[in-house]
Amino acid sequence: MRILLINDTARKVGRLSEALRDAGFEVFDESGLSIDLPVRVQSCKPDVILIDSDSPGRDVLEQLCLVSRDQPKPIVMFTDEQDPVIMRQAIQAGVSAYIVEGINSTRLKAILDVAQARFETDQQLRAELQAREQQLNERKRIEKAKGLLMTMKQCSEPEAYTLMRRQAMARQQKLIQVAEQIIAMHEMLND
C-alpha cells in the first residue's frame, strides 16, 4: 500500500510515521501541508493519504476538496480536534476516516481497511448517482424529441415513439442519439 503522509501539526511527523512502520506499512512520501496537495498526489500516486493535524484548517480542507474532486483517494485524518462542525467539514472535504485522540500502531491496519472500504462504497454510490442522473437526462431528451415529433408529424405519443425506435434500429443507433438528432434538426429549422 502506497501511503502519502502529510504533517499539518507543530509536532514532527515522526509519531505517525513511526506507528505506520510499527504496523508494517511503508510510507512512500512525507511532507508538510505547505505543498500543493493535488500536485503531490498526482506525482506520488498514493493508495491512501494520511494527514496528521492538530485541527484541520480551511487551507487543509480546500486542498482535500481538490484532491477528492479530481483524484479521489481514501483519506484518513488523525487529529486532536473533537468539534463536530470540523468533523463534518472534513468528511465533506473527502476524509474517509476521522480519528480523534491518538495514534495506535495496533489499530492502524483496521483504520486503513475501514477507510478504504468506506471510500470504495462512496465511489460506487457516486458512480450510481451519476448513471441515474444521465438516465434521467436522456429520458427527458427522449420525451422532448417525442413531443417535437408528435407536433411535426401530427401523431400520437405511441406513434412518435415507434417512429423513433424504427429510426434507431434502422441506423443501429441508441434511442437517445435519434432523439438528439430530432432536437438538433428542430433547433436548426427554428433558428
Side-chain angles (χ1 to χ4, degrees), residues 141-150 164 179 182-183:
R141 297 295 282 179
I142 290 169
E143 291 299 318
K144 180 176 180 174
K146 198 173 7 169
L148 293 171
L149 199 54
M150 288 167 55
M164 289 173 63
I182 291 169
I183 293 168

Side-chain angles (χ1 to χ4, degrees), residues 11-177:
R11 299 181 299 268
K12 295 271 187 210
V13 77
R15 72 179 185 141
L16 185 52
S17 184
E18 184 178 316
L20 287 165
R21 276 193 291 282
D22 290 347
F25 291 102
E26 182 179 349
V27 176
F28 282 85
D29 199 5
E30 289 184 34
S31 68
L33 200 68
S34 60
I35 54 112
D36 185 6
L37 188 56
V39 171
R40 180 60 66 115
V41 170
Q42 178 67 31
S43 66
C44 171
K45 298 193 184 342
D47 296 315
V48 66
I49 300 168
L50 300 184
I51 299 177
D52 191 1
S53 177
D54 292 326
S55 177
R58 187 177 58 92
D59 292 341
V60 172
L61 297 176
E62 284 175 4
Q63 296 261 330
L64 293 178
C65 280
L66 293 173
V67 168
S68 295
R69 182 191 68 200
D70 300 332
Q71 306 170 77
K73 303 280 181 206
I75 301 170
V76 180
M77 181 171 286
F78 292 88
T79 184
D80 295 327
E81 182 59 67
Q82 297 183 35
D83 183 350
V85 173
I86 302 285
M87 288 179 197
R88 280 188 197 89
Q89 289 172 346
I91 290 168
Q92 289 170 348
V95 171
S96 304
Y98 189 93
I99 311 301
V100 179
E101 291 185 3
I103 297 167
N104 184 334
S105 61
T106 59
R107 293 181 28 208
L108 273 175
K109 178 158 179 21
I111 289 169
L112 293 178
D113 288 345
V114 167
Q116 201 156 26
R118 176 162 180 218
F119 171 77
E120 289 166 2
T121 300
D122 287 350
Q123 289 301 106
Q124 182 180 358
L125 289 173
R126 282 191 179 104
E128 288 173 10
L129 179 59
Q130 287 176 342
R132 298 272 193 266
E133 287 174 356
Q134 182 178 348
Q135 288 173 343
L136 180 60
N137 289 335
E138 286 180 5
R139 190 80 226 142
K140 287 178 183 177
R141 297 295 282 179
I142 290 169
E143 291 299 318
K144 180 176 180 174
K146 198 173 7 169
L148 293 171
L149 199 54
M150 288 167 55
T151 302
M152 289 188 287
K153 292 282 202 176
Q154 298 296 309
C155 63
S156 68
E157 184 177 352
E159 291 170 329
Y161 185 73
T162 300
L163 287 170
M164 289 173 63
R165 282 192 58 220
R166 280 189 195 141
Q167 183 74 4
M169 290 189 317
R171 294 191 176 186
Q172 295 182 339
Q173 293 180 321
K174 293 183 177 185
L175 196 56
I176 184 63
Q177 292 171 306

